[in-house]
Amino acid sequence: MAQTISGSDAVLKVIESWGVDHIYGYPGGSFDSTMNALYNQKDKIKFIQVRHEEAGALAAAADAKLSGQIGVCFGSAGPGAVHLMNGLYDAKIDRVPVLAIVAQVPSKNMNIDYFQAMNEEPMFNDVAVFNHTVMTAQSLPKVIDEAIQAAYAQKGVAVVTIPKDFGWAQIQDNYVSNANTPIKPYAIQPDPVQIQAAVKLIAQAKGPLLYFGLGAKHAAKQLQKVSEKFKMPLVSSVLAKGILDEDYPAYLGSTGRVAPKPGVEAGMATDLILWVGNDVPFASMLFNPQAKVIQIDIEATKLGKRRHDDVAILADAKSALKALLKAGDERAATPFYEASIANKQNWRDWQASFKDAQELPVRPEPIFDVLNHTASPKAVWAVDVGNININFERLIDSVHTQKWTTSGKYATMGYGLPAAIAAKVRYPHRDVYSLSGDGAFAMLCEELLTQYKYHLHIINVVFSNQTLGYIEAEQRDDSHQPLSGVDIPDTNWAKVAEGMGAKGFTAHTKAEFQAAIDAAQKTSLPVVIDVKLTHKMPFTTQHMYLDPAYQDPAKIAAFVDQYDAQALRPLRAFLQDAKAKPASKPAKHHHKHDQLS
């Protein structure tokens, strides 16, 4: 006869079989049976006690984004379940697998207006790809197993609600999980007819551009080869930063509001976009509306979703790019290609000119220069939401061996600290940094207690400028309204950190920040560095005035003065330079990271 096991112990055995060794949550009375199982199996699965269930769900989402493996979190009945929602929506919208275990009152007390009882299942219908309340103790391991499979298969959130008494009930210990089943489909090979149509369009284009997203994360080498063969500058989605090293000459960064200038200008000047593994919702507004589009995606529903395709290729990114390389003829460098590379260098030189700026309050460039020189090639960046996205995207010189995560399409503030916790738990030997504005940091700053409790040496950098900067810029530049509700009280975050057991520093200058970073290497405690940042907003790429060929000289002068942009030139100027040069075929780039795979 098979031995028996509690329902909650059976749940954890299934979760462990899928390779999960930690789970985020906050206990409640309705979850006592599973807390008992966590105690029983503490040598196999680590319980991370966050200070708020939202942080647990965000950490689980970040865990999945960083590792590709399922993140797991839980909440108790009623309030604990509701608190999970923000993190679960982040996972849903950025399409990563997360399992949320939701406690319910004992089955005999359900649906009778009991303490903390509520009908939880409908609440999760929109956020979850799998959402079931367990109906018998015996079905617990099977339901959990199916939930994990669904989360992986559909790249989303699985929610399992468990009445408290089912977790205590004894069931047979004979369930065998499906953890050894495949969770990734075979790569889809491209249609040769569509490949031929694509290379024909590439050959005809005067200024082709390669625009890639996270769907190309395993095709870095092919992205470089296509760029070099067909002379296409590369632009990525924001979340695809880091697939290529920042110093790769033809990589212009991302496009859109948070992006560097070169990618934004190239997007509006291109006449052909090779669109690879990218589902950015703003994409229809970021490119020349007359440009033709060749789109590659592994999901048919993505083809033409954001913009009409001239050629649609249903295929794995790596396979399709290899096919294009084989089918197409090498092109000579176009003025568009050469101008884009020169434009990038102009931008990078302009940014570098501020790395030792002495103005106070300090600019972001000196701070990020320290981070670039301090962070290891294995660093992990947990990036919050707001102006920090702009500064990170433009100023961190990421390399492909580093990792980073943010709340992408959902863009929830408060993401940084929970994501840093996930990074340090998942990668204990890597250096981990959370980067937050003061508005976002304040939302979940209590998670410093979690960092302290579990001895997580994380460097948390708070950029304090006493405003919700991203929203301030929208109110000022987009809607042209009086500033409303964006001001934040000045706060001594170093003192707050010390009160929570962390080591706190305040930095007003680059030298003070460097000293704080140096001191942070000498402690095992979590660290908070409160950077008193300039109130100036980052350079806006949405409302640029730099081109005298068609823009008002007075507006250009005001813009240049506002953003200290005297050294910046518009793409049009570099195009004119390139067209004036004798036609030549540039040598292939020999880049130190050409061996990416």
Side-chain angles (χ1 to χ4, degrees):
M1 180 179 290
Q3 292 183 323
T4 61
I5 189 174
S6 77
S8 287
D9 278 297
V11 164
L12 292 190
K13 281 186 68 175
V14 172
I15 292 172
E16 291 159 13
S17 74
W18 283 90
V20 175
D21 64 5
H22 59 278
I23 180 171
Y24 302 94
Y26 196 82
S30 54
F31 206 73
D32 282 347
S33 50
T34 308
M35 292 310 302
N36 187 68
L38 283 167
Y39 178 84
N40 292 339
Q41 301 186 47
K42 60 181 179 292
D43 294 335
K44 296 179 181 178
I45 189 163
K46 184 176 183 179
F47 163 54
I48 308 295
Q49 182 204 63
V50 292
R51 307 313 305 161
H52 193 291
E53 291 91 349
E54 177 184 1
L58 286 170
D63 208 334
K65 293 177 194 181
L66 289 166
S67 70
Q69 298 178 17
I70 194 164
V72 184
C73 59
F74 69 79
S76 58
V82 174
H83 284 167
L84 292 171
M85 276 298 203
N86 211 32
L88 298 186
Y89 267 102
D90 177 73
K92 167 193 167 77
I93 292 176
D94 278 356
R95 302 197 67 208
V96 291
V98 164
L99 171 66
I101 303 172
V102 176
Q104 181 56 283
V105 300
S107 57
K108 66 179 181 179
N109 297 323
M110 291 172 63
N111 304 319
I112 59 169
D113 194 22
Y114 191 68
F115 175 71
Q116 289 191 327
M118 59 181 285
N119 186 5
E120 293 168 338
E121 191 173 309
M123 176 173 67
F124 296 103
N125 280 338
D126 181 63
V127 77
V129 299
F130 181 100
N131 178 28
H132 292 294
T133 300
V134 178
M135 302 306 292
T136 68
Q138 288 74 20
S139 64
L140 270 168
K142 177 64 173 173
V143 175
I144 290 289
D145 207 21
E146 290 186 359
I148 294 173
Q149 283 184 293
Y152 272 123
Q154 299 180 57
K155 300 178 184 177
V157 175
V159 178
V160 178
T161 302
I162 303 176
K164 179 179 178 178
D165 52 321
F166 291 174
W168 287 116
Q170 292 294 305
I171 64 173
Q172 288 192 326
D173 185 15
N174 59 3
Y175 184 77
V176 179
S177 86
N178 290 313
N180 61 346
T181 57
I183 58 174
K184 293 183 180 179
Y186 291 107
I188 301 173
Q189 297 301 313
D191 179 352
V193 174
Q194 298 296 85
I195 292 294
Q196 288 299 324
V199 296
K200 183 178 180 180
L201 283 183
I202 292 170
Q204 295 170 348
K206 293 181 179 179
L209 177 76
L210 201 165
Y211 178 48
F212 65 94
L214 282 176
K217 64 183 175 182
H218 300 305
K221 184 177 181 180
Q222 287 71 37
L223 291 172
Q224 291 180 14
K225 286 187 173 183
V226 167
S227 170
E228 292 165 7
K229 184 169 187 175
F230 301 128
K231 306 305 181 290
M232 291 181 167
L234 296 138
V235 173
S236 75
S237 68
V238 170
L239 297 182
K241 176 184 173 72
I243 293 175
L244 299 180
D245 291 358
E246 210 69 37
D247 65 357
Y248 186 69
Y251 175 51
L252 308 183
S254 60
T255 186
R257 182 176 169 189
V258 307
K261 168 180 169 287
V264 173
E265 291 179 301
M268 297 311 299
T270 183
D271 64 347
L272 174 70
I273 307 163
L274 176 57
W275 189 311
V276 185
N278 199 336
D279 187 33
V280 173
F282 306 113
S284 62
M285 300 178 281
L286 302 178
F287 297 95
N288 175 6
Q290 278 74 51
K292 294 183 180 298
V293 175
I294 302 164
Q295 188 178 3
I296 298 167
D297 208 287
I298 201 168
E299 296 183 42
T301 55
K302 297 293 189 300
L303 296 172
K305 176 181 176 183
R306 301 299 183 185
R307 183 165 167 149
H308 171 73
D309 293 334
D310 294 275
V311 177
I313 301 173
L314 180 65
D316 165 73
K318 182 181 284 190
S319 301
L321 293 173
K322 284 182 175 179
L324 289 174
L325 285 165
K326 186 176 181 180
D329 296 324
E330 184 163 3
R331 290 171 48 113
T334 63
F336 175 74
Y337 180 74
E338 294 185 331
S340 293
I341 292 174
N343 194 23
K344 174 185 176 175
Q345 190 59 52
N346 176 239
W347 171 260
R348 285 179 66 83
D349 290 345
W350 176 74
Q351 288 192 140
S353 72
F354 300 108
K355 67 180 182 179
D356 293 314
Q358 297 298 307
E359 67 181 81
L360 294 176
V362 67
R363 294 178 63 105
E365 293 91 346
I367 304 303
F368 280 84
D369 185 53
V370 172
L371 291 172
N372 281 326
H373 287 93
T374 301
S376 79
K378 292 287 189 178
V380 186
W381 307 99
V383 184
D384 223 305
V385 170
N387 275 352
I388 187 60
N389 293 117
I390 299 176
N391 288 327
F392 178 83
E393 190 72 17
R394 298 176 183 179
L395 297 174
I396 282 290
D397 291 332
S398 58
V399 294
H400 68 279
T401 52
Q402 295 176 336
K403 290 179 176 287
W404 78 280
T405 179
T406 193
S407 180
K409 277 196 285 184
Y410 191 55
T412 180
M413 294 171 67
Y415 183 86
L417 266 70
I421 290 167
K424 197 65 177 177
V425 169
R426 174 70 66 173
Y427 305 107
H429 302 299
R430 288 185 178 230
D431 48 324
V432 173
Y433 301 81
S434 81
L435 308 178
S436 307
D438 44 357
F441 188 81
M443 286 190 168
L444 288 172
C445 64
E446 71 274 9
E447 295 307 321
L448 287 173
L449 293 168
T450 307
Q451 296 183 13
Y452 175 75
K453 178 181 176 73
Y454 295 102
H455 312 290
L456 303 177
H457 177 58
I458 295 167
I459 298 177
N460 305 277
V461 184
V462 189
F463 293 87
S464 299
N465 62 354
Q466 299 175 54
T467 184
L468 300 176
Y470 202 89
I471 308 305
E472 176 181 326
E474 283 186 334
Q475 291 184 1
R476 190 191 309 276
D477 299 334
D478 298 350
S479 53
H480 306 289
Q481 67 187 79
L483 295 183
S484 177
V486 296
D487 56 305
I488 297 174
D490 187 20
T491 305
N492 187 336
W493 290 114
K495 193 170 183 179
V496 170
E498 296 281 0
M500 294 190 186
K503 190 73 175 172
F505 302 90
T506 302
H508 298 88
T509 65
K510 181 179 184 179
E512 289 180 358
F513 184 70
Q514 181 68 69
I517 286 286
D518 292 342
Q521 312 304 327
K522 300 172 184 177
T523 179
S524 61
L525 294 170
V527 170
V528 171
I529 306 175
D530 182 6
V531 177
K532 300 304 184 183
L533 193 72
T534 179
H535 194 85
K536 291 181 180 178
M537 293 296 109
F539 180 98
T540 175
T541 54
Q542 283 186 306
H543 308 282
M544 282 190 291
Y545 290 93
L546 288 173
D547 195 340
Y550 72 98
Q551 290 178 321
D552 182 346
K555 289 186 176 180
I556 293 174
F559 182 88
V560 166
D561 181 65
Q562 180 178 354
Y563 294 107
D564 303 309
Q566 290 80 4
L568 287 178
R569 301 175 69 198
L571 176 61
R572 185 188 303 273
F574 295 106
L575 283 167
Q576 291 172 344
D577 292 348
K579 289 174 181 176
K581 290 168 55 178
S584 63
K585 185 176 179 180
K588 183 177 178 180
H589 295 306
H590 293 286
H591 187 256
K592 64 183 179 181
H593 294 295
D594 274 349
Q595 299 307 310
L596 288 172
S597 60

